[in-house]
Amino acid sequence: MCSSDLAAQRTAADDFQQALSLLKESLAWRRSDRLDKSRAALRRFERIVVAGGVNAALPTFAAMAHVVRAWEHYARGELDAAQRELARLSGDAELRPVVRYNPRIRFETLNLEALVHKSIALRPDGPQAAQASAVQRQDRSEEHTSELQSPM
């Protein structure tokens, strides 16, 4: 982890800043393939969120926590678990707008979904798994379209 991340944690003035630095730490450890440290940072992050000190940012933090957990599953080769985590994120009515309008979360989600689908398609049972995945994506797309078309 870089020294600026450690400095951010040490100088965090409130729970929001502490939670943000822990989330970034978790992502950095995941990118370094240190999943044990990534999970530890995510657990510390979740303790702050559960304590309620970051209510205004809770949907964004909750969405990113889903993404981090999905990346961890993907890194361990648990493609179905990664897909389920992403499905929970896209299925949560409170978090869907975060995924749609927060560019960082949207990028991470779409990138990971593409990697998961590619990996599923390439595994020995790929055609069946890829077909089931395509049906799930179509169902989600139809749900999303109907939400956009429904009058407010």
Side-chain angles (χ1 to χ4, degrees):
M1 200 169 87
C2 81
S3 60
S4 63
D5 291 334
L6 291 172
Q9 282 182 26
R10 283 193 307 272
T11 60
D14 57 24
D15 285 344
F16 175 84
Q17 291 176 356
Q18 184 69 30
L20 183 60
S21 69
L22 286 168
L23 194 55
K24 290 192 174 277
E25 176 186 346
S26 177
L27 288 169
W29 285 124
R30 184 208 27 100
R31 287 187 185 110
S32 300
D33 205 26
R34 296 293 311 268
L35 299 181
D36 56 334
K37 292 187 180 260
S38 176
R39 279 190 296 277
L42 191 58
R43 282 192 300 274
R44 292 192 319 269
F45 161 81
E46 287 174 344
R47 281 195 297 268
I48 291 171
V49 170
V50 168
V54 292
N55 288 335
L58 191 56
T60 302
F61 282 148
M64 194 52 126
H66 278 285
V67 171
V68 170
R69 283 190 295 269
W71 270 110
E72 287 181 4
H73 290 301
Y74 174 78
R76 289 191 304 259
E78 300 167 354
L79 301 176
D80 295 329
Q83 205 167 32
R84 283 191 303 274
E85 191 67 42
L86 291 171
R88 278 192 290 277
L89 174 58
S90 66
D92 188 318
E94 184 178 333
L95 300 181
R96 245 188 320 257
V98 176
V99 175
R100 183 173 182 155
Y101 297 112
N102 183 306
R104 172 65 180 212
I105 293 174
R106 183 174 178 83
F107 169 78
E108 291 283 344
T109 302
L110 292 174
N111 184 36
L112 182 55
E113 280 180 346
L115 290 170
V116 168
H117 292 300
K118 177 182 174 185
S119 297
I120 288 172
L122 293 175
R123 67 184 182 190
D125 64 344
Q128 295 84 10
Q131 186 176 14
S133 176
V135 169
Q136 288 175 342
R137 277 195 319 274
Q138 180 63 30
D139 290 345
R140 283 197 323 245
S141 176
E142 289 172 2
E143 288 173 9
H144 181 68
T145 302
S146 66
E147 287 175 4
L148 292 175
Q149 293 174 350
S150 65
M152 295 188 154

